[in-house]
Amino acid sequence: MSQKNRKKVGIRYCGGCNPRFDRGAMVKRICEKHPEWEASVAAQGVDYDLLLVVGGCSSCCAAYEQFTAGRVLKIWTDLEDVPEEYCL
């Protein structure tokens, strides 16, 4: 896949107070389904096409205002895949 077609995806994790939800495993599964993604832990000063904010519970308390992204998706439950509208 050409670099031009790849999407830059930042991952922002919460503090992980819910040990029953394996956030990393879920993100790994999702990223494996999207080889067009160039995914990494989010860093300030990088422009992302998509920022995944991954929380362990419905409060999804991870701050993300310091990041720049075209779209933000907050996830706090096990998800098989990202909704299509976030993948465009």
Side-chain angles (χ1 to χ4, degrees):
M1 175 165 294
S2 82
Q3 286 295 96
K4 184 177 173 182
N5 295 331
R6 293 183 61 82
K7 291 194 176 290
K8 189 174 273 299
V9 178
I11 314 291
R12 173 66 169 161
Y13 291 97
C14 71
C17 63
N18 181 0
R20 294 179 301 275
F21 179 39
D22 190 342
R23 299 162 300 139
M26 183 197 61
V27 168
K28 182 178 179 183
R29 265 195 330 272
I30 290 171
C31 288
E32 286 172 350
K33 290 182 178 185
H34 293 280
E36 73 278 12
W37 287 4
E38 180 185 324
S40 62
V41 173
Q44 292 184 30
V46 178
D47 292 329
Y48 295 101
D49 297 304
L50 174 63
L51 180 68
L52 292 179
V53 181
V54 184
C57 66
S58 60
S59 66
C60 200
C61 64
Y64 60 92
E65 295 78 15
Q66 67 273 35
F67 302 108
T68 306
R71 291 179 160 249
V72 175
L73 176 60
K74 293 175 78 174
I75 303 168
W76 60 87
T77 186
D78 204 10
L79 186 68
E80 284 301 312
D81 203 357
V82 171
E84 187 175 328
E85 63 266 22
Y86 288 94
C87 299
L88 303 176

